Amino acid sequence: MKWDRMTAIASRSGQLGTVCLIRHDLLHWEMSVKYARSPELAATYAKKMIDRFEPDIFVCENLTTAHRKSSRTKGILKSLSEVAETSKTQAVTIGRIQRHPSKQVEAVHIAKRHPALARYVPPPRRVFDDEPRAYVLFEAIALAEEAALMQ
């Protein structure tokens, strides 16, 4: 299917990351903690994004391949895919493929392709540091790029 607009939402540990692309160019990106509090709030957020950007394709992570996600995050992924399936947009659920040795390296590579995201690339973390919240944004764009490769 040929697409002009794509919206992808990633969910991880109490946060959502959203990106909207027009012909592979980044139009909109945001992170939210508020809408990651429950599957119902995540569904409301997904409907809002679909209504706002009217994507040809809506992408989220495939629930069956999300082995390392918590049950709460899996519930959010389920609600996102249900919203996409009931909307007028084409729903695509894909397994998360990490093509780089670390999330840090992945973020750097993505920021090179989308310079607007460069300021969100976290510095390399030490083993005892918490994982930076910005990685959810890079996970969303990675999902969108994987979906674009499939089309």
Side-chain angles (χ1 to χ4, degrees):
M1 174 187 178
K2 186 177 183 319
W3 62 274
D4 286 326
R5 293 176 178 261
M6 179 186 296
T7 297
I9 298 181
S11 178
R12 61 181 299 127
S13 47
Q15 53 195 340
L16 293 176
T18 305
V19 294
C20 298
L21 302 166
I22 294 182
R23 294 178 215 94
H24 301 281
D25 293 327
L26 195 57
L27 169 70
H28 174 83
W29 61 94
E30 67 181 64
M31 294 177 281
S32 175
V33 173
K34 174 185 171 184
Y35 291 108
R37 291 185 183 143
S38 72
E40 295 78 18
L41 287 171
T44 300
Y45 178 72
K47 287 176 191 170
K48 179 178 138 183
M49 291 293 106
I50 289 171
D51 290 344
R52 180 176 175 190
F53 294 105
E54 299 176 350
D56 300 313
I57 299 174
F58 178 86
V59 182
C60 63
E61 187 172 356
N62 189 330
L63 187 58
T64 59
T65 61
H67 304 295
R68 299 184 73 191
K69 303 279 186 176
S70 69
S71 58
R72 181 172 135 183
T73 303
K74 287 180 181 180
I76 289 171
L77 289 175
K78 183 178 179 191
S79 70
L80 292 174
S81 63
E82 288 171 354
V83 166
E85 289 170 5
T86 59
S87 72
K88 63 183 176 190
T89 187
Q90 179 185 353
V92 175
T93 58
I94 60 173
R96 173 78 167 100
I97 299 171
Q98 191 162 340
R99 299 189 182 276
H100 299 88
S102 70
K103 292 174 188 166
Q104 170 66 28
V105 172
E106 180 179 53
V108 168
H109 282 269
I110 289 171
K112 286 179 183 174
R113 289 190 301 276
H114 303 282
L117 298 179
R119 69 185 188 109
Y120 296 99
V121 175
R125 70 182 183 117
R126 298 166 294 191
V127 172
F128 51 84
D129 290 336
D130 289 337
E131 189 170 274
R133 290 190 172 272
Y135 283 145
V136 73
L137 190 59
F138 295 99
E139 186 172 329
I141 195 110
L143 287 172
E145 289 177 348
E146 282 298 322
L149 289 174
M150 292 172 36
Q151 299 302 315

